[in-house]
Amino acid sequence: MDENNITLIDNLDIQKNDFTVKVRIIRLWSQPLFKDPEQLYSIEMILMDEEGSKIHSNVLQKWIPKFKNLLHEGAAIFIKNPTIARHVSKYKLIDNTKKLSLYYKTSVTKCLDFSGSLYGCNISFLCTGIKDQEHEVVDFSECPSLRSLTIKNCSGFGNSNMAIVGKLCPHLHKLDLRGLCGITDSGLLELLTNGTPRLVKINLSDCVNLTDKVVVDLVKIHGGSLEVLNLDRCRKIGDESLSANPDNCFLLKDLDVSKCEITNLGVSCLSRGRQTGLLRYLRPHWAQTNPRQFWAEAPDC
């Protein structure tokens, strides 16, 4: 299967049905007919891609024989040409407004190189009681299947804990550290340099002690996979972050530098990179007051 033709769950478009997804079946169950519980109505599934995004999927009873040998919990598969529609059910098991359905034009094949989690595990912390470790914790085990981690607004979470997270979670794709005012460049760098450089989405908003230095390092290490970067209210971050190797982030499609120390120079440098379309989503708050003056004064990088 050509990896270039794979569509991520977050990028699915209900206007299209000519696409292929690479997913693991993390939950599967049979849905009986409402009026006759002895009769099978459908097979229902929760699918997850390699980034950890999930979507509900089903196969109606008449199409089950076509796919039943390939559909079982834990299986990694390619699904080509399913239908996609809005998930209108009042009760949803996951936070996704779309739903995939397999039918007679759909093909399903085994996937032997799926790198995502086996059980769809994500971890999220929202806390005030965690304190930074003053010494290294020796007795721990890695979480090699963990792809998404959120630790937000934990005022006591600092550089030592960040280094531990880097060792525990070497294969993260999504990282949300918003509001961690206790971490600095050196702490975040410990996490960034551990494991495989495949971070796709990073939220560092309100990490007020981070500077341009760590953003430059982030671009060098993870620029090839990075798609979303949120630096909202990181007031020590400025033009250097936008001017440092912008071509490295050729997949970047969403950048938030609101309330950062960005000037015309930084945006001008960014506009000369390969991802110039990103400027449609770039919203430095001060550039909105007089956009004509902003672009007129934008210097050459």
Side-chain angles (χ1 to χ4, degrees):
M1 182 67 65
D2 186 358
E3 294 289 331
N4 293 325
N5 293 327
I6 301 300
T7 302
L8 296 173
I9 287 175
D10 286 345
N11 296 334
L12 291 176
D13 186 345
I14 60 174
Q15 303 297 326
K16 300 178 180 178
N17 58 11
D18 182 16
F19 61 88
T20 301
V21 293
K22 180 181 181 181
V23 294
R24 187 186 296 281
I25 303 172
I26 60 173
R27 297 292 183 272
L28 182 147
W29 67 97
S30 298
Q31 183 70 35
L33 194 64
F34 179 74
K35 293 183 178 180
D36 185 0
E38 298 299 321
Q39 296 294 320
L40 179 64
Y41 174 71
S42 65
I43 289 179
E44 305 291 319
M45 299 173 287
I46 302 297
L47 308 177
M48 182 190 69
D49 65 17
E50 291 181 311
E51 286 195 355
S53 299
K54 303 178 183 69
I55 192 168
H56 194 127
S57 179
N58 77 338
V59 188
L60 294 179
Q61 191 275 336
K62 62 181 177 180
W63 306 123
I64 289 176
K66 176 178 171 67
F67 306 109
K68 66 178 181 179
N69 292 333
L70 291 168
L71 302 181
H72 55 87
E73 205 163 280
I77 54 177
F78 294 103
I79 303 176
K80 184 178 181 181
N81 297 339
T83 63
I84 182 168
R86 297 193 183 280
H87 192 6
V88 296
S89 174
K90 183 177 180 180
Y91 304 102
K92 297 181 177 66
L93 298 178
I94 55 173
D95 185 20
N96 193 325
T97 59
K98 301 170 186 173
K99 182 178 180 179
L100 283 182
S101 295
L102 282 60
Y103 72 127
Y104 74 98
K105 289 186 178 180
T106 305
S107 64
V108 176
T109 55
K110 290 183 179 180
C111 172
L112 302 178
D113 62 346
F114 189 86
S115 62
S117 167
L118 180 59
Y119 302 108
C121 180
N122 297 326
I123 293 180
S124 177
F125 294 105
L126 175 58
C127 55
T128 56
I130 288 182
K131 295 183 179 180
D132 205 29
Q133 295 288 339
E134 295 182 356
H135 54 81
E136 183 177 0
V137 177
V138 178
D139 186 17
F140 59 77
S141 299
E142 284 189 2
C143 302
S145 64
L146 191 67
R147 295 294 183 269
S148 179
L149 177 66
T150 298
I151 308 172
K152 60 184 180 181
N153 300 323
C154 297
S155 58
F157 200 98
N159 290 341
S160 297
N161 283 339
M162 192 60 60
I164 295 171
V165 169
K167 294 177 181 178
L168 286 172
C169 312
H171 302 302
L172 291 173
H173 289 175
K174 298 180 182 179
L175 184 62
D176 187 345
L177 303 177
R178 75 187 87 166
L180 296 192
C181 56
I183 63 172
T184 64
D185 292 353
S186 60
L188 183 58
L189 187 60
E190 285 283 343
L191 186 150
L192 296 176
T193 53
N194 277 287
T196 307
R198 290 193 298 186
L199 282 171
V200 176
K201 298 182 180 180
I202 307 176
N203 189 341
L204 300 173
S205 59
D206 290 306
C207 293
V208 295
N209 288 311
L210 298 181
T211 72
D212 288 318
K213 182 180 183 303
V214 78
V215 177
V216 172
D217 290 333
L218 168 62
V219 169
K220 290 179 181 178
I221 300 169
H222 296 275
S225 59
L226 193 61
E227 295 182 9
V228 178
L229 178 59
N230 190 338
L231 301 172
D232 184 19
R233 293 184 294 274
C234 294
R235 298 185 182 277
K236 294 183 180 181
I237 288 175
D239 292 337
E240 186 180 351
S241 294
L242 297 188
S243 60
N245 300 317
D247 283 345
N248 285 2
C249 298
F250 54 89
L251 295 178
L252 190 64
K253 58 186 179 183
D254 191 338
L255 174 64
D256 190 342
V257 289
S258 302
K259 299 181 178 65
C260 294
E261 293 300 315
I262 305 297
T263 70
N264 298 9
L265 175 62
V267 179
S268 178
C269 291
L270 182 66
S271 71
R272 287 158 177 77
R274 281 188 287 178
Q275 72 289 48
T276 54
L278 177 64
L279 292 176
R280 291 178 299 169
Y281 307 100
L282 185 65
R283 296 292 184 266
H285 68 286
W286 43 264
Q288 306 305 309
T289 57
N290 193 340
R292 289 186 179 180
Q293 180 182 359
F294 164 70
W295 288 112
E297 295 178 354
D300 289 335
C301 188

